[in-house]
Amino acid sequence: MLILLLFPLFTPPAQPQGMATGSATARPARPLPAGMKAPAVNYRDLAPQAGLTGVAVSGAERAKQYIVETTGTGVVVLDFDNDGLQDIFFPNGARFEGPPVSHYLYRNLGGLKFEDVTAKAGIRHTGWAQGGCAGDVDNDARIDLVITQWGQNVLYRNTGGAFEDETKARGLAAPKRWSTGCAFLDYDRDGDLDLFIAHYLEFDPARTPKPGDKAQCQWKGLPVVCGPRGLPAETMSLFQNDGRGNFTDVSKKAGIATAKNFYGFTALTGDFDDDGWVDVYVACDSTASLLYRNKHDGTFEEIGLISGTALNEDGREQAGMGATAADFNGDGRLDIFKTNFSDDTPTLYKNNGDGSFTDTTIAAGLAVNTKFLGWGTAFLDFDHDGRPDIFEVNGHVYPEVDAASINEKWKQQRVLYWNRGDGQFHDLSASAGEGILTPHSSRGIAVADLDNDGSLEIVVVNMHEAPSLLKNSAPAGNSVLVEALTAGGRHAIGARVTLTVGARKQTNEVRSGGYHISQGDLRVHFGLGTAAQAGLAIRWPDGKVEPLGSVPANHWITVQQGKGIVGKKALR
């Protein structure tokens, strides 16, 4: 049932210059209440010694001429060889002039060491890539890979440790578009994975003005790349799986293909109304964001405005980049956090449980930063206290800001917000370690337990640099990893996992996509604090609920639908 909300349902006038920048004012950080002590945290960048050295290319490094050179790329975490270690794939952009580039597939050797196996695995660079997502499209228990591109998207089917390009054979060949985020989901609950793809704008260099040519090609007095405002907007796509890994475009029939009025970036899936059917949120740049509610009949209804997730609390469009979901306040509902352009705050939408959301950014203490331009973001419990914290990477789109006197920088620090447990967050960035404070112009991120030790690492794409691999060396509490598999053995994307410790419940989902045009670990991570065990239950993608009893802390628990717990491994 839809809830009509009493807030301004209007679209503000387009800003005359560049990307939307918002109009928020930073609020002073709130001191911690008496007796509340923030946890220790120390993130270090281990990428160089881990062997993650491939440079992310996105057009010219400084003298960028077109918007496609500014959006950067995502990252995909996947265990492509089924050895129990999460591997990392970095899609790469391209250049208008200069030598060709390569994607990077890194096989996890254990102990946070990685080997470049791109060529050996059959991964070729075929265009200007943006992001990606992974899922088992043909139910053979091997995870497959989709790369979104400005141009033809690519489906790589996993043949058992290597990949074959089966884009055309699987029905995903399409006219050239600029695709950004993607996510696998079982929207019709028929047991196979369908594919959602977001699109950004219609881009043709031959018809695009150069920096400074028009009013929308200027920003704060600087000549900059044109767009997105002033360039033709896009809509979104949905591809239905026939059960054998072949896809049909059902965007119009399913209600996904809106009018071309949106600059779509990150596709975030989740059962946001808790009805057992997966919905899709799309963070959009400079336009209202989108929330597609699943109607249970093979179709969706776009309810961004009436749900309260399209605009901020002032009724303004924002320049949404990344998005993540979790139950931040322990009420059993999935909330949404979105990153935005500079001169604006991020946005936290609290799920009210009646089909509506409330922008609670200020109340949650998250309106303390407006100087950052946010991209990839994640809810993650870094201290394992059972409450999801927030991580965000930043970086400007215009290298020209470094030479201007406008108090903005191309490279920016990351931000870490600690969940206080009282509905508010506290910015811990200043004491969170060099991995947080060292500036980069970052884009996509993914979160995963790369060394199977029970804590989550963060992989970050840095524009025109090698990536970052962030690990927290500070002590943390107990934890558990839950791997949910379908009866056929593939990852149960869309399953809702609930962990109970005493009277407290934690809820999250097995999720493809998210972050910023990226994908992380398909295992669900929970912090347990000092608890030695927790109760586990799973609601499977088909709606069936399976209570699984108690599971021990500091273990990787594998559950298969219909078979219960089929594996327990101690986390090192």
Side-chain angles (χ1 to χ4, degrees), residues 503-518:
R504 288 181 58 189
K505 289 187 177 182
Q506 298 182 60
T507 300
N508 214 331
E509 293 184 359
V510 183
R511 182 176 294 113
S512 171
Y515 302 110
H516 169 68
I517 60 176
S518 297

Side-chain angles (χ1 to χ4, degrees), residues 245-265:
N246 305 306
F247 292 89
T248 300
D249 188 341
V250 295
S251 308
K252 292 183 179 180
K253 181 172 67 173
I256 295 297
T258 63
K260 289 193 172 185
N261 293 329
F262 303 95
Y263 302 118
F265 259 142

Side-chain angles (χ1 to χ4, degrees), residues 449 452-454 479-481 523 554-556 569-572:
D449 186 355
N452 291 336
D453 69 349
S479 66
V480 66
L481 279 176
R523 301 170 299 177
N554 303 319
H555 278 73
W556 165 5
K569 295 181 182 178
L571 297 168
R572 297 191 296 271

Side-chain angles (χ1 to χ4, degrees), residues 129-153:
Q130 290 286 272
C133 53
D136 180 4
V137 303
D138 51 0
N139 286 335
D140 65 353
R142 294 192 290 256
I143 195 163
D144 310 298
L145 175 66
V146 165
I147 305 172
T148 57
Q149 304 199 138
W150 168 48
Q152 175 60 60
N153 298 328

Side-chain angles (χ1 to χ4, degrees), residues 197-222:
I197 298 180
H199 306 287
Y200 189 50
L201 55 80
E202 295 180 9
F203 175 64
D204 180 354
R207 295 185 295 170
T208 302
K210 293 292 185 69
D213 283 355
K214 294 188 176 182
Q216 64 264 30
C217 310
Q218 299 180 29
W219 184 78
K220 294 188 176 182
L222 298 175

Side-chain angles (χ1 to χ4, degrees), residues 519-549:
Q519 179 167 314
D521 202 331
L522 290 174
R523 301 170 299 177
V524 183
H525 174 270
F526 296 98
L528 299 183
T530 59
Q533 59 184 14
L536 174 63
I538 295 180
R539 189 185 69 197
W540 297 100
D542 62 7
K544 296 177 182 177
V545 177
E546 188 172 356
L548 295 154

